[in-house]
Amino acid sequence: MNMDRASLIPALTNIATRLRIDSVRATSEAGSGHPTSCMSMADLTAALFFAEMRFDPKDPKNPESDRFVLSKGHAAPILYAAWAEAGAFDRAELMKLRQIGSDLEGHPTPRLPFVDVATGSLGQGICAAIGTALNARRIRSDYRTYVLLGDGESAEGSVWEAADVATMDKLDNLCGITDVNALGQSRPTMWEHDMGQFERRWKAFGWHAIVIDGHDMAQILDALAEAKATKGQPTMILARTIKEKGEELDRALAELEKQFVPVPEGGPAANLAGQIPKPPSKPHGVDNPKPVAAPAYTLGDLVATREAYGTALAKLAEADPRVVALDADVKNSTFSDRFEKVAPERFYQNFIAEQVMVGAAMGLAARGAIPFPSTFACFLTRAADFVRMAAVSNVGIKLAGSHAGVSIGEDGPSQMALEDLAMYRAQPNYAVLYPSDAVSAERLLALMAYHPGPAYMRTSRPKTPVIYGNDDTFTIGGLKVLRESAADVATVIGAGITVFEALKAYDQLKAAGTAIRVIDLYSLQPIDQAALVAAGRATGGHLLTVEDHYAAGGIGDAVAEAVADAGLTVQRLAVREIPRSGKPEELVERFGISAKHIVEAVKGMKVRS
Amino acid sequence: MNMDRASLIPALTNIATRLRIDSVRATSEAGSGHPTSCMSMADLTAALFFAEMRFDPKDPKNPESDRFVLSKGHAAPILYAAWAEAGAFDRAELMKLRQIGSDLEGHPTPRLPFVDVATGSLGQGICAAIGTALNARRIRSDYRTYVLLGDGESAEGSVWEAADVATMDKLDNLCGITDVNALGQSRPTMWEHDMGQFERRWKAFGWHAIVIDGHDMAQILDALAEAKATKGQPTMILARTIKEKGEELDRALAELEKQFVPVPEGGPAANLAGQIPKPPSKPHGVDNPKPVAAPAYTLGDLVATREAYGTALAKLAEADPRVVALDADVKNSTFSDRFEKVAPERFYQNFIAEQVMVGAAMGLAARGAIPFPSTFACFLTRAADFVRMAAVSNVGIKLAGSHAGVSIGEDGPSQMALEDLAMYRAQPNYAVLYPSDAVSAERLLALMAYHPGPAYMRTSRPKTPVIYGNDDTFTIGGLKVLRESAADVATVIGAGITVFEALKAYDQLKAAGTAIRVIDLYSLQPIDQAALVAAGRATGGHLLTVEDHYAAGGIGDAVAEAVADAGLTVQRLAVREIPRSGKPEELVERFGISAKHIVEAVKGMKVRS
């Protein structure tokens, strides 16, 4: 900023005062909303927005804009005040804080164009900031990412996952700021104002750490300059601040009004918002993605869907430079290492840290990348809160979980995802896909990449035969009817490995003179309601689901809701107790989801009807 | 151990060799199972089991026994080999590793009496170890807890949550050991053999850190002694080790056989297992818990269930010394601060770190405490993988999540749990409870404390009227029929705040001459199938669920499965899109779960039938 410190600092101080006043007024009008957490970060916010970052308040999504992530999302009122001060919208809107008709929600969401990812669950913003910082590298931009954390937030393990990854990736375009106001929600924080506790930790994790007085504007500006000049490592500014006590806010407001300092009228300091440096205009046109290479299998080939996932991901990497992949040290099991071989510069290793893997994917997705984070499906539950917040953000992360169900065998229950379908289906805006063979896995992966919003694919460990032709078509929201005749007495609906149990059951029943319909429900959400109802009606209302998943929240529940309005009910085969180690085929048998159980269930249906 | 080092070390070295051989043989027989991860920790294991810990191999659950938690659960084969060597079971059993008929599973589970909590999801064992260490303090025992981690595991954020809590609680009865073998699953670990990276981090987090050669028995013994002598802080032993390469295992086995060193026959060194120090016999009889004080409300009182939870928890604290509570800095919102006032020494503050909160609860539960971890229901999703592993362990943690649903209002979607019922219902051994008023909240809390296995209670933010008498009885697996007549045309099933929407709808419909049955489904799992079917049949098969939760995995799905066998279907009102900030009553209306929507749905049913 082209202005001497003596002019700049009083102007910034006035802005900080105005941001404090706006925060108190807005939360007072709303009747709730963490004003004291806003107060402590007011000076930091003023310096960041009006003397540090480059952005266009009228074009906040500009690819070259610096990013600001408010990891302590409960301080939303001052975030809104800062954007209003910058000219993004009319300051009068601030008084609609938390109202149903306003996008100025209690915690920030991407309903607002200047918010990349929703925050409000502590420890997530810094993970998303890793993603926006990685994205700068991806698009070869020098934009910087700033992320502001609360001090209490530092207790969240995800913060330290992010700390490790930022150091490993040498993200010197990332600047963290911790607002050390020493007060948590219910009591003083763990380390209160002992700044050394913070400094030791961040330095140990490889960050450049700077301790400052968070209300001393000169120290703030110096620290931001030092961060920008620091190469090869990220910087954390640890700012000692004061949180006003809530009960004193009314008095504070009166005090604040008196705090404005004289700034020469008409000079540059009187209009800092007008001088925010704009991002450079750079061409960022993405080449139209090339078509993804088609599957190339032979019917009957034995290929695990997890392996087909890796193959498809590598093909997608070649077709579209926006596609990136993230791993948590299982790339050789999920086969995401095939992506790494093709596009190592877009493959982000997070080691065994699932939260930052998913959080970084959220930041990448918010900035135009198409990120595929993957690990064992059971370990993605480690990032369940990130999965939830990605739904709130409606960002297009493309999760893949391998090794689903008891069919993994000997590794035992700790490695078996049996609740993952429930987890993703619960989020109303996730697409949930579950291919049974290599062709469908490849086709669905390409579809999920371009499906708007978040998506999840479940893959399996065992090799399964290819049952689809390389030119077969699939849709998100579709299904495949694999066996069908006018004589069908029941419809058996499986997905993944249970499709093959259903096909075995078909053969056994056919040999005994009984015909059944077999459906591969590869898309659980959205779901092909009409086709399921039609199949149910055509087969005497006899619907049987079979899934390598616990009974609640999976295929059975999905089908049951889809056909309920048609008056149809569903019988379910699912895993109904905690499983154990054993051979895959032994476990599929023991936990009630094998061909034998399907045959018995169908015979039972015939008896009852 | 009463033996000179010159005799002890060769004997321990022989045991380590035997543990290596057993690990290789067992995994070779099983055809899978991480032998190299066992090899690197063999010397550490031999020293711990045969020269450090006090325990009775025939009575592993003894309350005074030292605890060993294998946080790197994939090294299960050497854990089993060590217990066999100690005499817990016949060594021949080791060859049944990973077979369906053996409890020697791929990763350890509490099916084995010497395993406190299931491990295999990295970063959890150390959290559980916090719990077993806290438990020693609770029962005034000097037993120690040892936890062995992998180096790759250190990337998990939960490890650093545990690191902070152990320091804050000054757990000098806790000794961690990190097996730094420098190799992850798919590649070298983040810091390989750079021991300083580990040392800096653990010291910064307040631990006493000791770097050793993990294959030098004297260094191992010295470090364990130093840890035991360290007061006021936990110790982390950082052991540099070598992981044999997998392809060299066969050769390794032959080499290992040659490595036995001479130990004088008949001397004490020849029988270290026989000299393991036994835990002292101490009376640990828990006084029979006193009866929990009954609820004391007046019908119509306005009390939030979250507040009744706090009241009940404090009463339970007074009735039973085994009850402990854990918080993540929201005790003033969840009302767990009422417990803290009554029993501060059994109230464990974790600050904003949900994973270690739930993990520590798992360790406490495994050792006989009755732990109640609580926070906002949405933030418990942060610990979803711990919730899952608690199911695998079948440990009696009693989770409570407050602020469920859109009815929290202005704070917005990041603070609204709308998928929590799906998360807990997916686990087949969780009890899932959802009280609507203060009396039922208090009664259900007391029931869940003594229910075997894990349980979850969902509480609400808004104040709701007391509708039950203080002497009303509740059961896990029960429900209450609140309105009933022979003329009922439909059954409306709610829980929590939607019970009151259903009662409002009842009044409105009644005024228009239509009678409905109203059910408070306070127990979602187990569920009262018979009562639901009976109500459905008595009301023309018209069942309507209404829930402050997303459509998948909650009340609608629970009821639908319960009545499916009876041929009944369910119509559902639920939140079907990502919500936003607003007043509670506005949101209940806007997202389709208000009395008005119930009235409309019932009228629609009448038209259709």
Side-chain angles (χ1 to χ4, degrees):
Chain A
M1 187 148 296
N2 187 18
M3 198 182 312
D4 62 84
R5 279 277 176 100
S7 305
L8 178 61
I9 288 179
L12 288 174
T13 303
N14 280 353
I15 289 179
T17 301
R18 208 147 50 227
L19 298 181
R20 285 186 170 93
I21 291 171
D22 284 345
S23 301
V24 173
R25 284 195 179 144
T27 53
S28 182
E29 174 71 18
S32 63
H34 310 277
T36 62
S37 284
C38 298
M39 307 283 263
S40 61
M41 59 176 275
D43 298 298
L44 297 162
T45 307
L48 274 168
F49 275 75
F50 301 98
E52 173 72 8
M53 292 198 296
R54 79 176 190 208
F55 63 102
D56 181 347
K58 296 296 190 192
D59 178 22
K61 292 194 182 299
N62 187 304
E64 290 289 326
S65 271
D66 285 347
R67 313 314 303 169
F68 176 72
V69 182
L70 182 65
S71 203
K72 50 173 278 191
H74 54 285
I78 196 165
L79 175 75
Y80 306 153
W83 280 95
E85 175 79 20
F89 57 88
D90 188 336
R91 168 174 266 117
E93 290 293 311
L94 295 175
M95 298 306 276
K96 297 183 185 162
L97 178 71
R98 293 177 159 238
Q99 292 180 12
I100 194 167
S102 168
D103 287 340
L104 301 176
E105 297 194 73
H107 295 75
T109 74
R111 284 204 174 92
L112 296 163
F114 51 80
V115 173
D116 284 336
V117 293
T119 53
S121 183
L122 294 172
Q124 295 206 19
I126 187 172
C127 297
I130 301 284
T132 63
L134 286 171
N135 185 71
R137 202 169 275 178
R138 181 184 70 86
I139 65 168
R140 296 189 179 76
S141 168
D142 63 349
Y143 80 73
R144 290 175 62 74
T145 294
Y146 299 88
V147 55
L148 200 145
L149 296 90
D151 47 354
E153 190 171 358
S154 307
E156 286 285 11
S158 57
V159 170
W160 302 103
E161 295 185 9
D164 271 340
V165 169
T167 296
M168 185 176 52
D169 289 340
K170 301 185 170 57
L171 293 179
D172 51 19
N173 60 355
L174 175 66
C175 176
I177 300 150
T178 304
D179 175 13
V180 185
N181 61 31
L183 290 174
Q185 182 190 306
S186 73
R187 48 164 291 168
T189 56
M190 203 184 311
W191 311 307
E192 306 193 25
H193 270 134
D194 182 350
M195 303 303 291
Q197 293 280 4
F198 294 89
E199 190 181 15
R200 272 199 294 283
R201 283 167 172 79
W202 286 100
K203 282 188 172 170
F205 274 71
W207 287 48
H208 180 58
I210 310 172
V211 175
I212 62 166
D213 174 348
H215 302 305
D216 182 320
M217 201 58 81
Q219 287 190 34
I220 296 170
L221 295 173
D222 286 346
L224 289 170
E226 186 176 323
K228 203 179 263 182
T230 299
K231 298 300 168 198
Q233 66 181 152
T235 295
M236 177 58 71
I237 297 171
L238 299 161
R240 187 185 199 282
T241 63
I242 304 296
K243 193 171 178 178
E244 301 285 334
K245 292 198 177 63
E247 60 269 27
E248 294 170 8
L249 284 179
D250 284 344
R251 209 183 60 198
L253 201 54
E255 287 298 316
L256 284 167
E257 299 283 4
K258 298 179 203 156
Q259 286 178 11
F260 287 106
V261 292
V263 167
E265 275 183 45
N271 178 22
L272 290 188
Q275 297 170 74
I276 297 168
K278 297 285 179 294
S281 285
K282 272 173 50 178
H284 274 289
V286 174
D287 297 331
N288 282 335
K290 288 179 280 187
V292 182
Y297 298 100
T298 303
L299 287 175
D301 279 356
L302 288 171
V303 185
T305 50
R306 63 178 168 132
E307 182 172 357
Y309 166 84
T311 302
L313 195 61
K315 289 178 181 174
L316 190 63
E318 291 180 324
D320 192 333
R322 293 170 301 176
V323 175
V324 302
L326 300 96
D327 180 34
D329 189 20
V330 289
K331 63 186 178 185
N332 53 339
S333 288
T334 59
F335 288 94
S336 69
D337 55 359
R338 294 189 179 173
F339 180 105
E340 187 183 24
K341 288 197 189 84
V342 172
E345 77 288 355
R346 285 181 274 142
F347 183 82
Y348 307 123
Q349 181 57 260
N350 299 274
F351 293 95
I352 309 173
E354 295 79 10
Q355 295 184 86
V356 67
M357 175 175 74
V358 178
M362 289 161 66
L364 281 155
R367 305 266 68 228
I370 303 175
F372 282 79
S374 58
T375 181
F376 284 33
C378 63
F379 302 137
L380 278 176
T381 61
R382 202 58 157 269
D385 195 29
F386 290 73
V387 165
R388 177 179 78 87
M389 290 295 285
V392 172
S393 293
N394 198 31
V395 282
I397 61 171
K398 314 298 175 181
L399 295 147
S402 66
H403 295 74
V406 301
S407 55
I408 69 160
E410 291 82 354
D411 273 337
S414 67
Q415 317 293 300
M416 297 169 176
L418 288 158
E419 57 287 286
D420 55 320
L421 297 176
M423 180 167 107
Y424 299 99
R425 282 189 60 247
Q427 303 298 336
N429 56 353
Y430 270 71
V432 181
L433 307 171
Y434 186 9
S436 62
D437 86 335
V439 169
S440 54
E442 287 206 28
R443 291 294 188 186
L444 290 170
L445 180 129
L447 289 173
M448 93 193 259
Y450 301 109
H451 182 73
Y456 172 65
M457 178 182 285
R458 183 184 221 221
T459 67
S460 304
R461 182 174 180 275
K463 289 178 193 291
T464 46
V466 170
I467 54 174
Y468 295 113
N470 290 319
D471 294 329
D472 273 4
T473 56
F474 300 81
T475 55
I476 291 182
L479 55 75
K480 289 281 187 190
V481 180
L482 298 178
R483 298 288 185 274
E484 185 175 17
S485 80
D488 295 342
V489 300
T491 299
V492 178
I493 302 153
I497 65 118
T498 61
V499 166
F500 302 94
E501 299 301 322
L503 291 173
K504 271 186 258 176
Y506 170 90
D507 292 339
Q508 292 171 23
L509 286 163
K510 190 181 175 193
T514 301
I516 58 169
R517 194 156 299 190
V518 175
I519 285 178
D520 174 3
L521 188 67
Y522 62 78
S523 176
L524 272 86
Q525 187 165 288
I527 194 165
D528 192 341
Q529 184 173 24
L532 290 168
V533 168
R537 288 189 171 144
T539 58
H542 294 136
L543 290 162
L544 176 71
T545 57
V546 52
E547 59 193 304
D548 194 0
H549 186 274
Y550 286 138
I555 299 175
D557 279 358
V559 174
E561 185 176 14
V563 303
D565 281 354
L568 298 174
T569 60
V570 173
Q571 192 177 334
R572 300 127 184 255
L573 299 176
V575 179
R576 292 184 182 271
E577 60 182 304
I578 307 293
R580 59 188 300 141
S581 291
K583 293 193 176 71
E585 57 278 15
E586 288 173 340
L587 300 182
V588 165
E589 188 64 43
R590 174 152 175 170
F591 295 104
I593 57 171
S594 71
K596 190 186 86 181
H597 293 92
I598 296 170
V599 168
E600 284 170 4
V602 170
K603 287 180 177 168
M605 284 172 161
K606 287 178 65 182
V607 170
R608 286 194 306 172
S609 66
Chain B
M1 188 148 294
N2 186 17
M3 198 182 312
D4 63 84
R5 281 276 176 101
S7 306
L8 178 60
I9 288 179
L12 288 175
T13 303
N14 281 351
I15 289 180
T17 301
R18 208 147 50 227
L19 298 181
R20 285 187 170 92
I21 292 171
D22 284 345
S23 300
V24 173
R25 284 195 179 142
T27 53
S28 183
E29 174 71 19
S32 63
H34 310 277
T36 62
S37 284
C38 297
M39 307 284 263
S40 61
M41 59 176 274
D43 298 298
L44 297 163
T45 307
L48 274 169
F49 275 75
F50 301 98
E52 173 71 9
M53 292 198 296
R54 79 177 189 207
F55 64 102
D56 182 347
K58 295 297 188 192
D59 177 23
K61 292 193 182 299
N62 188 305
E64 291 288 326
S65 271
D66 285 347
R67 312 315 303 170
F68 177 72
V69 182
L70 182 65
S71 203
K72 50 173 278 191
H74 55 285
I78 196 166
L79 175 74
Y80 306 153
W83 280 96
E85 176 80 20
F89 58 88
D90 189 336
R91 167 174 267 118
E93 290 292 312
L94 295 175
M95 298 306 277
K96 298 183 186 162
L97 177 71
R98 294 178 158 237
Q99 292 180 12
I100 195 167
S102 168
D103 287 340
L104 301 177
E105 297 194 72
H107 295 75
T109 74
R111 285 204 173 91
L112 295 164
F114 51 81
V115 174
D116 284 336
V117 294
T119 53
S121 182
L122 293 172
Q124 295 206 17
I126 186 172
C127 297
I130 301 284
T132 63
L134 286 171
N135 185 72
R137 202 169 275 178
R138 181 183 69 86
I139 66 167
R140 296 189 179 76
S141 168
D142 63 350
Y143 80 73
R144 291 176 60 74
T145 294
Y146 299 88
V147 55
L148 200 143
L149 296 90
D151 47 354
E153 190 171 359
S154 307
E156 286 285 12
S158 56
V159 170
W160 302 104
E161 294 185 10
D164 271 339
V165 170
T167 296
M168 184 176 52
D169 288 341
K170 301 184 171 57
L171 294 179
D172 51 19
N173 61 355
L174 175 65
C175 178
I177 300 151
T178 305
D179 175 13
V180 185
N181 62 31
L183 290 173
Q185 183 192 305
S186 73
R187 47 165 292 168
T189 55
M190 203 185 311
W191 310 307
E192 305 193 25
H193 270 134
D194 182 350
M195 303 303 291
Q197 294 280 5
F198 294 89
E199 190 181 14
R200 270 198 295 283
R201 282 168 172 78
W202 287 100
K203 282 188 172 169
F205 274 71
W207 287 48
H208 181 58
I210 310 171
V211 176
I212 63 166
D213 174 348
H215 302 305
D216 182 320
M217 201 58 82
Q219 287 190 33
I220 296 171
L221 295 173
D222 286 346
L224 289 170
E226 185 177 325
K228 203 178 261 181
T230 300
K231 298 300 169 198
Q233 66 181 152
T235 296
M236 177 58 71
I237 298 171
L238 299 161
R240 187 186 199 283
T241 63
I242 303 296
K243 193 171 177 178
E244 301 285 336
K245 291 197 177 66
E247 60 269 28
E248 294 170 7
L249 283 180
D250 283 346
R251 209 185 59 199
L253 200 55
E255 287 298 316
L256 285 167
E257 299 283 3
K258 298 179 202 155
Q259 287 178 11
F260 288 106
V261 293
V263 167
E265 275 183 44
N271 177 22
L272 290 187
Q275 297 170 75
I276 296 168
K278 297 285 178 294
S281 286
K282 273 173 49 179
H284 275 289
V286 174
D287 297 331
N288 283 333
K290 289 178 279 187
V292 181
Y297 299 99
T298 303
L299 288 175
D301 279 355
L302 287 171
V303 185
T305 50
R306 62 178 168 132
E307 182 171 358
Y309 166 84
T311 302
L313 195 60
K315 289 178 181 174
L316 190 64
E318 290 180 324
D320 191 334
R322 293 170 301 176
V323 175
V324 301
L326 300 97
D327 179 35
D329 188 21
V330 289
K331 64 186 178 185
N332 53 339
S333 288
T334 59
F335 288 94
S336 68
D337 55 0
R338 294 190 179 171
F339 181 104
E340 187 182 24
K341 289 199 188 83
V342 172
E345 76 288 357
R346 285 181 274 141
F347 183 83
Y348 307 122
Q349 181 57 260
N350 299 274
F351 294 93
I352 309 174
E354 295 79 10
Q355 295 184 86
V356 67
M357 176 176 73
V358 177
M362 289 160 66
L364 281 155
R367 305 267 66 229
I370 303 174
F372 282 79
S374 59
T375 181
F376 284 32
C378 63
F379 301 137
L380 277 176
T381 61
R382 202 58 158 267
D385 194 29
F386 291 73
V387 165
R388 176 179 80 86
M389 291 296 285
V392 173
S393 292
N394 198 30
V395 281
I397 62 172
K398 314 298 175 181
L399 295 148
S402 66
H403 294 73
V406 300
S407 55
I408 68 161
E410 291 83 353
D411 273 338
S414 67
Q415 318 293 299
M416 296 168 176
L418 288 157
E419 57 288 285
D420 55 320
L421 296 176
M423 179 166 108
Y424 299 99
R425 283 189 60 247
Q427 303 297 337
N429 56 353
Y430 270 70
V432 181
L433 307 171
Y434 185 11
S436 61
D437 86 335
V439 169
S440 53
E442 287 206 27
R443 292 294 188 186
L444 291 171
L445 181 129
L447 290 172
M448 92 193 260
Y450 301 109
H451 182 74
Y456 173 66
M457 178 181 285
R458 183 185 221 221
T459 66
S460 305
R461 181 174 181 276
K463 289 179 192 291
T464 46
V466 170
I467 54 174
Y468 295 112
N470 289 318
D471 294 330
D472 273 2
T473 56
F474 299 81
T475 55
I476 291 181
L479 55 75
K480 290 280 188 190
V481 180
L482 298 178
R483 298 288 185 273
E484 186 174 18
S485 80
D488 295 341
V489 299
T491 298
V492 178
I493 302 154
I497 65 117
T498 61
V499 166
F500 301 95
E501 299 301 323
L503 291 173
K504 271 186 258 177
Y506 170 90
D507 291 339
Q508 292 171 22
L509 287 163
K510 190 181 175 193
T514 300
I516 58 169
R517 193 157 300 191
V518 175
I519 285 178
D520 174 3
L521 188 66
Y522 61 78
S523 176
L524 272 85
Q525 186 164 288
I527 194 166
D528 192 341
Q529 183 173 24
L532 290 167
V533 169
R537 287 188 171 146
T539 58
H542 294 136
L543 291 162
L544 176 70
T545 58
V546 52
E547 59 192 306
D548 193 0
H549 186 274
Y550 287 137
I555 299 174
D557 279 357
V559 174
E561 184 176 15
V563 302
D565 282 353
L568 297 175
T569 60
V570 173
Q571 192 177 335
R572 301 127 183 254
L573 299 177
V575 179
R576 292 184 182 271
E577 59 181 306
I578 307 293
R580 58 188 299 140
S581 290
K583 292 194 176 70
E585 57 278 15
E586 288 174 340
L587 300 182
V588 166
E589 188 63 44
R590 174 152 175 171
F591 295 103
I593 57 171
S594 71
K596 190 186 86 180
H597 293 92
I598 296 170
V599 168
E600 285 169 3
V602 170
K603 286 181 177 168
M605 284 172 162
K606 286 178 65 182
V607 170
R608 287 192 308 171
S609 66

